[in-house]
Amino acid sequence: MPILTLHGGDDRVVFAQSSEGLEEHFTAFYRRVVLDGIGHFPTREASDQVSRLLAAFLDSHGKR
């Protein structure tokens, strides 16, 4: 299953560094995106950007 991980670059609850270097743990496609200037709630703080990233991810992996 392909994985998309989105982190707010300014998240003070779950640090973006927590998802660094995890590619080796997944057998399928893994994409990690850090959203600069965004905190713990990317879907609230950058909903347009999150929507675009999610739509592109789903389109490229045939899930939409």
Side-chain angles (χ1 to χ4, degrees), residues 21-33:
L22 296 181
E23 295 83 358
E24 66 186 49
H25 299 286
F26 298 94
T27 57
F29 179 86
Y30 175 81
R31 180 169 182 212
R32 174 182 177 268
V33 178

Side-chain angles (χ1 to χ4, degrees), residues 5-20 32-42 45-46 49-50:
T5 299
L6 302 176
H7 276 286
D10 290 338
D11 189 337
R12 309 267 191 243
V13 178
V14 179
F15 299 117
Q17 297 87 340
S18 67
S19 65
E20 285 180 0
R32 174 182 177 268
V33 178
V34 177
L35 304 170
D36 293 331
I38 303 302
H40 187 65
F41 298 102
E45 299 173 44
Q49 188 177 6
V50 168

